[in-house]
Amino acid sequence: MSASRYDCIVIGGGHNGLTCAAYLARAGRSVLVLEAGEEVGGAARTREFAPGYKVSAVAHLLHLMPPSLPHELGLARHGLKMAAERMSTIALSGGPVALTIDCAGLRAPEGLSASDAGSYLRYRARMQRLARALRPVLEAPPPRLGSRDWRDRLALLELGVRMRLLGRTDMRELLRIGGMCVQDLLDEHFESELLKGALAFDAVLGTNFGPRSPGTVFTLLYRMAAGSAAGDSLAQPVGGLGALCEALARAARAAGASIRTGTPVKRVLVRDDRAAGVMLESGEDFEAGCVISSADPRTTFLGLLGAEHLDAGFVRRLNHLRSHGMAAKVHLALDRAPSFRGVETQPPAGRLVLAPSQMAIERAFNHAKYGEFSAAPMLEIVLPTAADPALAPPGKHVLSAVVQYAPYRLAAGWEGERQRFLDLILGTLETCAPGLRDSVVAAELLTPADIEAQFRISGGHWHHAELALDQFFMVRPVAGAARYRAPVGGLYLCGAGCHPGGGVMGVAGRNAARQILKEAA
Ligand SMILES: Cc1cc2nc3c(=O)[nH]c(=O)nc-3n(C[C@H](O)[C@H](O)[C@H](O)COP(=O)(O)OP(=O)(O)OC[C@H]3O[C@@H](n4cnc5c(N)ncnc54)[C@H](O)[C@@H]3O)c2cc1C
C-alpha cells in the first residue's frame, strides 16, 4: 500500500467520524481521518472562549450515547471520565419556585400540583416502555423498502414483532400519540404549567418546532429512546465534551487509524462512477477503497461530491432537506458562582431549564417563524464548573446555555442584532439569577450562522438536518441515501444527518461502519 492509499478515508473528525474510524480500524481496515479544524471533536469540542475559561463549545451534555459504545471502544482506558452523571433537571420559573425532575421522579414545592407527582411516574413509565420499543430502530441501519432480500424482510418483521410485544394498550397508545403535538399529550396528563413546560422543552430542543407542532411527541420519544439506551442519564465528562472526542481519537489511533487535523477536504474524487479518494484544499490527494463523510449531507453531496455526479431527483430532494438551525449557544465567564432563585444547591449541579409553560415556549417559537429571535427565549443552562472546577481559574465559573429559538436566517441579519440578542439573554438570566450580569467577565454568543461558519455545519442545525417524521429512518437524510450509502459507489455518510440523527450518540458512526463492513464481507 502506498502512503497515500487507504481502505477507508473518513471526512471529518467529529464524534461520529471518529467512532466510525475506530470501528473500521478495529476490523483491520487502514483508515485515515481528515479533519478540517485544528482539533478533533466537531460540535463536541472543548475550547477556551476567554483567557482561562473553557467550555464545551456546542454540545454540552452527554446523554444519548449507548453504554455499549464506550465499552466496546474502551474509552475509559483511553482517558474518558465523568465529572457528573445522572444529573437532575431543574425547571426554573423565573421566580422563586423551581421543581426538580430526576430518576427518582418529581420534587416540587408544596402545593405546585398534588396530583402531578403521581401522574409523572405513570407517564414516564409508559413513555419509557414506548421509547424502549423504538430503541432498536435507532441502533441498526434502516431496512430497504420493497426489497426482496430476506435481511430487509426480517428487519421489518422484527419491527412489527417489537410493536406487537408492546401489548394492545401500549400499541394503541403509540399509534394514537405518535403523530400528535406534545402540548396535547402533556395537557392530558398534568396540571402544572412549569412541569409541562420543562417536559415539552425536551420535545422541541434543537428543532424548528413548538409544543403545538404536530410530530413533537415523536421528537420526544426519539430523545427518550436514545436517552434510555444511555441509561436515562445526563452526564458531563471531565474536561467537557471535547474529552470524549479525545478518547475516541485515542481509541481510533490505538486500533491503527491515522488522524490528521487542519486538513479541509475540497473534493471527493470520482473515477469510473465510484468515489476513489479525496483532494484536500491544499491540493494534496489520497486514494481510498471507500470515502465516508461525517460532514452534513448538503456539504457532502453538493459541496464535496458535486451535483454533476447525482441524478436530478436526488439533487431536488437534497435541496428540499430542511437543515436550518434554530438553537444558539451562549457562554459566560463568571467571576463568582451564580445563585439561581428557587434552587437549593449553589452553584447548581444539574441542568437548569427555563421554559416556564408550554404557552411561553410556543410564544418564543412564534417570533422565530417570522425570522425574528424570541423576545423571551427558552434556555437550557449548565454550570460545568460546578462539577469540573478546572474549566475556569480557581473560584471562577463558566455558564453554558442553549438558547431556543434563534433562527439561522434572521430577517434583520445577525451582524447588527447579535449584541441586542445577547443583552436579551443576559436580561433573561438575570431574572433567574439576580446579580449574574455583574459577575460576567466575558461572553460569547454562537448563532446558528456562527455554528455553520465555525463548525462547518451548513445551516448550523443540531441534527445536521431537521429530525422529523418525514426526514427519519428510511428517508434520512433523503431517499436514495438512507442506508449510509450514497448513490455513487464507494461513498458513505456517517454523521448526524443520517440515521438515527444527531446529538452526541455515536450511533450513526457505528451503524455506518458496521454497514460498510457487512457490504465488504
Ligand atoms: C446549539 C447546539 C447545542 C447542542 N447541544 C447538545 C447537547 O448538549 N448534547 C447532545 O447530545 N447534542 C447536542 N447538540 C447536537 C450535537 O452537537 C451534534 O448533533 C453532534 O455533535 C454532531 O456530531 P457529528 O460527529 O455527526 O458531526 P460534527 O460534530 O458536525 O462533525 C463533523 C466534522 O466534520 C468536519 N468537516 C466538515 N466538512 C469538512 C471538510 N470539507 N473537510 C474536513 N472536515 C470537515 C467538521 O469540521 C467537523 O469536525 C447540540 C447542537 C447545537 C447546534
Side-chain angles (χ1 to χ4, degrees):
M1 186 190 72
S2 82
S4 59
R5 185 178 164 84
Y6 293 83
D7 294 332
C8 308
I9 287 181
V10 178
I11 303 175
H15 83 284
N16 272 315
L18 294 169
T19 299
C20 186
Y23 277 94
L24 290 170
R26 283 159 57 94
R29 302 295 185 273
S30 60
V31 181
L32 172 65
V33 179
L34 295 167
E35 165 55 44
E38 292 306 321
E39 285 165 60
V40 294
R45 195 185 307 169
T46 305
R47 67 180 191 187
E48 195 174 57
F49 69 101
Y53 293 85
K54 290 193 203 131
V55 75
S56 296
V58 182
H60 59 185
L61 285 167
L62 182 64
H63 57 114
L64 302 174
M65 186 169 274
S68 58
L69 197 153
H71 177 73
E72 285 162 6
L73 297 181
L75 296 191
R77 237 182 323 114
H78 291 293
L80 180 65
K81 281 197 230 93
M82 291 302 146
E85 287 179 286
R86 301 183 90 76
M87 293 160 75
S88 50
T89 291
I90 302 163
L92 303 174
S93 63
V97 177
L99 66 83
T100 303
I101 306 167
D102 60 22
C103 306
L106 195 64
R107 277 178 283 132
E110 196 82 4
L112 195 64
S113 164
S115 66
D116 278 354
S119 304
Y120 177 70
L121 292 178
R122 285 189 297 279
Y123 160 87
R124 194 179 65 171
R126 168 170 273 174
M127 292 295 276
Q128 281 180 340
R129 284 199 302 278
L130 302 183
R132 268 197 301 273
L134 292 176
R135 189 201 304 169
V137 169
L138 309 186
E139 299 225 356
R144 283 168 293 192
L145 276 177
S147 149
R148 286 170 180 270
D149 190 308
W150 64 270
R151 281 164 298 199
D152 293 311
R153 290 182 169 183
L154 187 66
L156 284 170
L157 190 69
E158 273 175 11
L159 187 61
V161 169
R162 245 185 336 264
M163 293 302 132
R164 185 68 193 86
L165 288 177
L166 273 173
R168 208 165 84 166
T169 315
D170 279 354
M171 200 164 55
R172 202 164 43 199
E173 184 64 355
L174 183 60
L175 289 173
R176 186 181 77 85
I177 68 174
M180 234 162 102
C181 74
V182 75
Q183 171 153 339
D184 287 346
L185 178 73
L186 296 174
D187 281 344
E188 283 178 6
H189 288 268
F190 304 110
E191 292 170 359
S192 155
E193 290 306 328
L194 186 54
L195 174 62
K196 287 191 275 187
L199 297 176
F201 183 73
D202 279 348
V204 300
L205 185 59
T207 73
N208 281 262
F209 298 131
R212 292 185 190 162
S213 308
T216 37
V217 171
F218 160 75
T219 48
L220 182 61
L221 278 172
Y222 163 83
R223 182 181 161 106
M224 291 182 78
S228 64
D232 199 14
S233 151
L234 294 162
Q236 183 193 320
V238 174
L241 268 285
L244 167 76
C245 290
E246 281 160 25
L248 282 168
R250 276 185 220 111
R253 284 195 176 105
S258 304
I259 300 173
R260 286 183 58 182
T261 54
T263 50
V265 172
K266 186 173 182 196
R267 298 288 294 172
V268 171
L269 301 172
V270 178
R271 204 171 302 134
D272 301 329
D273 292 330
R274 270 189 72 82
V278 299
M279 185 172 86
L280 301 186
E281 281 179 9
S282 65
E284 193 179 357
D285 56 21
F286 298 89
E287 288 178 21
C290 71
V291 175
I292 308 134
S293 174
S294 67
D296 63 88
R298 207 182 285 272
T299 299
T300 300
F301 290 123
L302 302 181
L304 300 177
L305 178 67
E308 65 277 18
H309 298 293
L310 298 163
D311 73 47
F314 188 84
V315 173
R316 184 176 44 78
R317 290 197 288 282
L318 272 175
N319 281 327
H320 290 159
L321 187 69
R322 300 192 310 285
S323 56
H324 285 176
M326 193 53 106
K329 194 83 195 294
V330 163
H331 305 132
L332 302 179
L334 306 175
D335 69 6
R336 56 185 178 270
S339 187
F340 282 83
R341 298 172 78 192
V343 180
E344 277 166 31
T345 338
Q346 306 288 356
R351 168 181 86 135
L352 307 171
V353 168
L354 178 68
S357 68
Q358 301 199 83
M359 178 74 90
I361 308 178
E362 192 67 34
R363 287 217 170 105
F365 177 46
N366 282 344
H367 290 267
K369 290 177 201 160
Y370 304 104
E372 297 160 12
F373 53 71
S374 306
M378 303 293 104
L379 303 177
E380 175 185 75
I381 307 157
V382 182
L383 269 297
T385 34
D388 191 359
L391 292 169
K396 316 284 184 201
H397 283 274
V398 167
L399 181 147
S400 169
V402 177
V403 188
Q404 183 89 14
Y405 297 86
Y408 167 70
R409 281 216 177 106
L410 195 70
W414 275 113
E415 264 336 293
E417 290 293 301
R418 50 191 309 124
Q419 190 54 48
R420 200 164 69 82
F421 190 45
L422 185 57
D423 285 344
L424 187 81
I425 296 161
L426 288 173
T428 307
L429 284 166
E430 180 74 21
T431 59
C432 304
L436 180 136
R437 202 189 257 271
D438 288 342
S439 67
V440 176
V441 292
E444 176 184 52
L445 166 67
L446 296 174
T447 68
D450 297 325
I451 292 171
E452 174 181 75
Q454 295 179 31
F455 297 87
R456 291 184 176 245
I457 301 174
S458 82
H461 196 286
W462 184 294
H463 294 278
H464 285 193
E466 192 71 40
L467 196 100
L469 278 168
D470 65 315
Q471 295 190 167
F472 185 64
F473 200 34
M474 300 175 198
V475 285
R476 183 167 184 85
V478 293
R483 286 159 56 84
Y484 310 99
R485 250 167 92 169
V488 169
L491 178 63
Y492 296 84
L493 293 176
C494 73
C498 48
H499 178 74
V504 182
M505 202 190 304
V507 175
R510 182 169 70 176
N511 282 358
R514 287 178 174 166
Q515 183 68 17
I516 292 162
L517 294 169
K518 207 189 304 171
E519 286 182 17

